[in-house]
Amino acid sequence: MKNEREREIIKASFVGIAGNMLLVVFKLIVGFTANSIAIILDAVNNATDALSSIVTIVGTKIAGMRPNRRHPFGYGRIEYLTSVIIAIIILVAGALSLRESIDKIIHPAVTNYTAITLTVIVVAIIAKIFIGVYFKRAGTKTNSQALIASGIDSNYDAVLSAGTLVVAIAQLAWNVNIDGIVGLLISLVVIKAGLEVLRDALGPIIGQREDDELGRKIEDYVNSFDGVRGTYDLLLDNFGPNETIGSVHIEVPDDMSARQIHELTRKITVGLFEKFNILATVGIYAENTTGKYAPMHAELARIVEEHPKILQTHGFYVDEEQKTVYFDLVIDFKADDEAIREAVVKAMEKAYPAYTYNVIVDADYEG
């Protein structure tokens, strides 16, 4: 499965290299013949696209290396670094194009467009649309951010080539030279595309919120097991496009035996891997919300309702011997979590002064 994904990505990258290099040759010939900076810059941009595909191939091969003692989780995150490099290539190309375009605006040159020029530009537009769609489909199929980034870039290229077409038409129809201006616009669009690719590439490296829909599906799945009274604290850490490690806590009755808990957590762990390809550790909260402590839990629920920034409370448990109450609070990122925690603890101490309170504040990691 992993090798098949790698082959698909490399195949798509080679198609991109071949297509873009053909466009580079055609556009350079036409650009120098017509003395058009817009077409020449468009050709340079296609050359950077071919380079991006080479980077994708190298990054994919490295990312596919087996885990070892030094990197036990493998090299999957290299693919995100690959996307960062692609973004940098795009940004450098955009910056150089911007400089040349400004020079052309200040010192305009005579351009010479022909019907052949227009034909080549139209063919280039169609080719870039095809390459962009191909990359995006292959990227979605293989979950390759680098291919998706290249597909986005190719779609921008089609728009840029359309800009050079406008330059040629303006020159032929009205004898108006807007070559430098269009080159400037092309450069700004390329820079914008580079910044967007960089943003998307840095997200998984920095650590970003998982898709809320995925979180809900995982919670619904775990809650479907008999004995699970609630699912909390879902954390997922991405070590590559298809390498996710995480943890989740479940709430179970406090009278379950160690054997029952072991069987339940093992089933959940296996199920999460088979269904979602997630290697997860399952933690336990012993449910202690009935019997003599039900009024105390109800009081906590009442106090929590008074704080709209508290999104959830769970893990309520009373250690009778130590006179300690344990529970977690999930608080909105924008709120002062420590102040809210202290307020809840003081309210509980006022209602039940004989106990101490061990409260963990959880961030809103899931939807």
Side-chain angles (χ1 to χ4, degrees):
M1 182 73 177
K2 191 173 183 179
N3 290 337
E4 180 63 27
R5 175 181 179 271
E6 183 178 305
R7 284 194 293 269
E8 288 282 341
I9 294 173
I10 292 175
K11 175 186 173 183
S13 298
F14 273 120
V15 170
I17 291 171
N20 279 303
M21 290 312 297
L22 284 175
L23 288 174
V24 168
V25 173
F26 281 124
K27 288 182 180 180
L28 284 178
I29 292 173
V30 173
F32 282 112
T33 301
N35 194 27
S36 170
I37 185 63
I39 296 179
I40 293 173
L41 292 179
D42 210 2
V44 172
N45 191 40
N46 289 145
T48 63
D49 293 343
L51 178 59
S52 297
S53 293
I54 294 173
V55 171
T56 298
I57 292 173
V58 174
T60 300
K61 295 297 289 184
I62 297 175
M65 293 170 59
R66 292 175 59 84
N68 52 42
R69 189 175 183 84
R70 186 177 181 83
H71 299 284
F73 298 110
Y75 294 81
R77 283 179 174 168
I78 290 292
E79 287 199 27
Y80 303 135
L81 292 177
T82 299
S83 297
V84 171
I85 294 172
I86 291 174
I88 293 172
I89 291 172
I90 295 171
L91 289 170
V92 170
L96 293 175
S97 298
L98 182 64
R99 185 186 66 183
E100 293 298 321
S101 298
I102 292 173
D103 183 65
K104 276 290 184 179
I105 293 174
I106 298 173
H107 306 101
V110 177
T111 55
N112 181 28
Y113 294 103
T114 65
I116 296 177
T117 305
L118 298 181
T119 302
V120 171
I121 295 173
V122 171
V123 170
I125 294 172
I126 296 172
K128 290 306 291 185
I129 291 174
F130 172 79
I131 293 174
V133 171
Y134 178 72
F135 272 158
K136 291 185 75 174
R137 285 181 178 176
T140 302
K141 179 181 178 182
T142 59
N143 192 23
S144 170
Q145 186 61 44
L147 281 182
I148 293 173
S150 295
I152 293 172
D153 189 34
S154 290
N155 288 339
Y156 274 114
D157 290 345
V159 175
L160 305 186
S161 295
T164 61
L165 183 62
V166 171
V167 171
I169 292 174
Q171 180 68 41
L172 290 173
W174 302 290
N175 196 30
V176 176
N177 188 344
I178 57 173
D179 194 44
I181 295 174
V182 172
L184 176 66
L185 295 175
I186 288 175
S187 303
L188 294 175
V189 172
V190 170
I191 291 173
K192 178 178 181 293
L195 291 174
E196 290 175 349
V197 171
L198 183 63
R199 177 199 62 196
D200 293 339
L202 288 176
I205 296 174
I206 297 172
Q208 62 186 4
R209 183 189 184 96
E210 287 292 338
D211 178 56
D212 287 347
E213 183 179 354
L214 173 62
R216 285 190 290 271
K217 287 181 179 179
I218 292 174
E219 288 184 355
D220 290 343
Y221 175 72
V222 176
N223 284 333
S224 69
F225 285 83
D226 290 337
V228 176
R229 304 293 178 85
T231 301
Y232 310 101
D233 305 332
L234 174 63
L235 288 174
L236 300 177
D237 199 359
N238 192 316
F239 285 90
N242 293 313
E243 301 288 341
T244 302
I245 296 175
S247 64
V248 64
H249 277 76
I250 60 173
E251 200 166 58
V252 299
D254 59 4
D255 59 354
M256 285 186 74
S257 67
R259 181 185 298 275
Q260 291 172 314
I261 291 174
H262 173 82
E263 291 175 353
L264 176 60
T265 56
R266 178 58 65 91
K267 288 178 182 178
I268 293 173
T269 299
V270 172
L272 287 174
F273 184 77
E274 291 179 348
K275 189 175 181 64
F276 300 99
N277 196 33
I278 294 172
L279 184 61
T281 300
V282 181
I284 297 296
Y285 287 128
E287 184 184 48
N288 187 206
T289 57
T290 59
K292 63 184 294 187
Y293 297 114
M296 183 183 291
H297 184 260
E299 177 65 14
L300 173 62
R302 185 193 67 76
I303 293 170
V304 166
E305 286 182 358
E306 296 177 354
H307 296 272
K309 293 297 183 179
I310 299 178
L311 306 179
Q312 184 188 91
T313 181
H314 57 263
F316 178 84
Y317 185 80
V318 180
D319 185 332
E320 188 168 358
E321 182 178 342
Q322 298 294 328
K323 293 292 183 180
T324 301
V325 180
Y326 298 88
F327 58 88
D328 291 8
L329 297 173
V330 180
I331 299 176
D332 190 290
F333 276 112
K334 299 178 182 179
D336 185 342
D337 53 0
E338 190 57 36
I340 292 176
R341 175 188 176 281
E342 289 181 5
V344 172
V345 169
K346 286 181 180 179
M348 288 297 292
E349 287 175 341
K350 182 178 180 180
Y352 295 90
Y355 295 84
T356 58
Y357 297 87
N358 188 309
V359 182
I360 295 176
V361 175
D362 293 333
D364 180 23
Y365 295 115
E366 51 187 293

